[in-house]
Amino acid sequence: APKVMNRRKYPRLALENPCEIKIKSKDLILFGRMVNISAGGFAFMCKAKELADAIGETVELGIEEFELLQDETLQGVIIRASDNDGTFSVGCRLASDHAGIEEYVRTRMGDGKR
């Protein structure tokens, strides 16, 4: 059977920007570093152990020094949180697809599709 290399709907762009993560239900603010972003979601790394059981939680993410969003935050739901020696790799799905991010990622990838 053929192996599907990329089952994701949108291309993703690697990022390393610092980010602020608010876990809505816990009134908690955490700080981490972005891993990547796409029109459908994002991933970040964070050392906060509160992320161990956070799958299904809604987060509000602010990305520092990210010109596309400026002061806009992204709302997402945590769909995975993997513990790598105390640093959590957290993947989130956006509540709705973000066309602006899709365009931004495509232009940064040099794929030129509009």
Side-chain angles (χ1 to χ4, degrees), residues 1-78:
K3 187 174 178 186
V4 177
M5 296 305 285
N6 188 349
R7 70 187 195 296
R8 298 183 175 109
K9 191 169 163 184
Y10 296 106
R12 50 190 54 218
L13 182 69
L15 289 182
E16 293 188 355
N17 306 47
C19 58
E20 180 182 285
I21 307 114
K22 291 180 185 165
I23 298 184
K24 308 278 267 191
S25 69
K26 297 182 180 178
D27 202 25
L28 193 61
I29 298 177
L30 308 171
F31 296 92
R33 184 161 292 282
M34 294 301 296
V35 174
N36 61 47
I37 193 166
S38 77
F42 52 85
F44 61 85
M45 303 288 276
C46 182
K47 291 188 180 291
K49 55 187 167 296
E50 291 89 347
L51 292 165
D53 59 358
I55 291 175
E57 293 282 354
T58 297
V59 296
E60 189 175 300
L61 184 86
I63 306 172
E64 291 179 30
E65 301 160 29
F66 189 56
E67 63 272 12
L68 175 70
L69 297 175
Q70 295 174 356
D71 294 328
E72 179 189 344
T73 59
L74 295 174
Q75 297 256 359
V77 174
I78 297 176

Side-chain angles (χ1 to χ4, degrees), residues 84-96:
N84 301 309
D85 295 323
T87 298
F88 289 89
S89 173
V90 181
C92 301
R93 185 178 58 242
L94 287 172
S96 57

